[in-house]
Amino acid sequence: MKKIIINGGNKLSGTIPISGAKNSAVAIIPAAILCDEQSSIYNVPNISDRDALIDILHLLNCETSLNGDLLKIDSSKLENKKIPLELSKKMRASYYFMGALLSKFKHVEMYFPGGCNIGKRPIDIHIKGFEALGAKVKIKGDLYTIDAKELNGTNITLDFASVGATINIMFAAVKAKGKTIIRNAAREAEIVNIATFLNNMGAKITGAGTSIIRIEGVEHLHRTMIEVIPDRIEAATYIILGAMIGDNLKIENIIPEHIDALLSKLKDMNVKYEVDETSVTISKCDNVKSTNIRTEVYPGFVTDMGQPMSVLLTQAHGVSLFEETIWENRMGHVKYLNKMGANIKNGNTNSVTIGPTPLYGCEVEATDLRGGAAMVLAGLIAEGTTTITSIEHILRGYDSIITKLKNVGADIKIEDDEKDLVNM
Ligand code: EPU
């Protein structure tokens, strides 16, 4: 079993380059099967979710080549196959093959997806969208079988602005007959990136990034390329770290507009930073002010930044209230912050943090991807040694986290049970 070991307290200075966005790449990779030719995807992050999706592509008889951050996918010999349980369950994003295979073959068999245990995570809105386009969905336990004689464009209003449902319905609609309008669509920057990829292939999608997306179905999609946008959540994680322990720490290769809500919140909290077109430079703030945060759908203060932010709240002077509105189970990491010395009272989706409190290293667990990132941040600011277990959650979504942090001065390593050192 691998563990992350951190000796906390080092000031961090230098530059952390941000990788391609996980949540964009994990949809763009399945979308590549929508064309019958080769796609070139640049700036793909080196994360285990990428590898799990490539395994599914191989199962479907696609050829892939990976050279650094360039992933080429040749789907000219694509075959439709049932995606087995172990591949479906490896990550959340396996469900993007539902929309993509439905679009391509009008038939899909796969299981309910996996992903972090941060809530119930139903996929009813995706299914409602497929059915509106003309598909019939049979659910037997965790096995989903989706068939359509043909897919026809229609008007769909989402019950909630779900990221996954917006993307999956775009995939299913892109080759449907006629026009589809998705109302109450999610507006995430990643959705614009994915729609751009599809349009580069010949799709006719307008409105991505707003709450109304219009899709005119086309018959054929062709070879193309795309660059994955920078990961705004990875950027946010390191910016929050910089506010606690940075010494002119530069977070670069970012699109600052994607993290406006975070930057505005940091300003309220007294944190000083400099922003230019592609970077944020930030140093430790000694008088962080407490604040109140309520998570919102993008472009509000997004849920994925909440857990890293909860570490900064432990260093803020006064009482901070935090309300999580998207996931019902995203506070699992709080008990470990308290074990390290924080003073956080929490209900299921609300917490009250009284600060500042020094943190002390101890053994903690990565409860999920962003909860794990929060443990890394806490370990880096704590006095003494922190050991983090269940780190596979962190490696699913943070490219080269150990190397990036070591390069700016952190004392952090991955160790396995046999005491072999691994650099990631
Ligand atoms: N929901 C339903 N039914 C559905 C779909 C969603 O009830 O059919 C509910 C969910 O249970 C949740 C809310 O709607 O309460 C939002 O779910 P959404 O579909 O937007 O989430 P997702 O697509 O499963 C993506 C990201 C998450 C991020 C959310 C923000 C990916 C692979 N995951 O999840 O990212 O928190 O959007 O809405 O893109 C992360 O990066 O750490 C992460 C969890």
Side-chain angles (χ1 to χ4, degrees), residues 22-23 26 92 95 118 121-126 160 162-164 303-304 326-327 330 369-370:
K22 166 180 101 66
N23 289 347
V26 297
R92 191 75 192 157
Y95 66 11
I118 52 179
R121 312 193 81 172
I123 58 169
D124 54 310
I125 304 174
H126 306 232
F160 181 84
S162 152
V163 173
T303 168
D304 306 322
I326 309 294
W327 302 114
R330 218 170 192 178
L369 169 60
R370 308 298 169 194

Side-chain angles (χ1 to χ4, degrees), residues 62 133 252 266:
C62 293
L133 288 161
E252 87 172 357
L266 290 176

Side-chain angles (χ1 to χ4, degrees), residues 129-280:
F130 298 151
E131 286 173 340
L133 288 161
K136 297 260 176 296
V137 182
K138 282 192 207 131
I139 307 169
K140 209 171 165 193
D142 269 358
L143 178 63
Y144 283 66
T145 307
I146 311 175
D147 286 292
K149 283 207 180 76
E150 59 176 27
L151 295 168
N152 289 299
T154 186
N155 287 343
I156 300 170
T157 300
L158 304 186
D159 295 333
F160 181 84
S162 152
V163 173
T166 301
I167 296 170
N168 240 337
I169 295 168
M170 274 199 318
F171 291 171
V174 87
K175 295 177 82 181
K177 284 198 179 131
K179 191 181 210 172
T180 299
I181 301 180
I182 308 174
R183 292 198 163 80
N184 195 26
R187 291 171 289 161
E188 266 73 358
E190 290 74 19
I191 289 172
V192 181
N193 198 203
I194 294 153
T196 305
F197 180 51
L198 296 173
N199 283 343
N200 290 352
M201 270 186 205
K204 292 190 176 159
I205 304 173
T206 56
T210 76
S211 56
I212 303 181
I213 299 180
R214 292 183 164 79
I215 305 161
E216 192 74 59
V218 296
E219 269 183 24
H220 178 71
L221 295 168
H222 52 74
R223 69 185 287 145
T224 191
M225 55 160 287
I226 188 76
E227 180 170 349
V228 177
I229 57 169
D231 195 312
R232 64 197 161 87
I233 314 297
E234 186 197 18
T237 305
Y238 294 131
I239 289 169
I240 291 165
L241 178 63
M244 298 187 287
I245 203 161
D247 180 8
N248 280 316
L249 185 66
K250 185 173 186 180
I251 317 300
E252 87 172 357
N253 300 342
I254 66 168
I255 299 177
E257 290 75 15
H258 292 171
I259 51 169
D260 267 351
L262 171 74
L263 294 178
S264 147
K265 191 50 83 180
L266 290 176
K267 205 170 172 189
D268 294 347
M269 296 172 80
N270 250 347
V271 176
K272 308 279 181 295
Y273 50 80
E274 274 170 39
V275 186
D276 74 12
E277 280 173 16
T278 56
S279 72
V280 169

Side-chain angles (χ1 to χ4, degrees), residues 58 77 84 90 154 230 232 269 285-286 292-293:
H58 291 163
K77 298 189 192 107
K90 256 197 176 159
T154 186
R232 64 197 161 87
M269 296 172 80
C285 173
D286 289 319
N292 297 335
I293 296 174

Side-chain angles (χ1 to χ4, degrees), residues 18 48 60 78 100 110 132 135 143 151 154 161 226 256 258 277 285 303 349 358 361 371 374 381 385 396 410 420 424:
I18 295 305
S48 61
L60 301 175
L78 182 74
M110 67 170 287
L143 178 63
L151 295 168
T154 186
I226 188 76
H258 292 171
E277 280 173 16
C285 173
T303 168
T349 52
I381 66 163
T385 303
R396 278 191 36 235
D420 287 339
M424 310 265 322

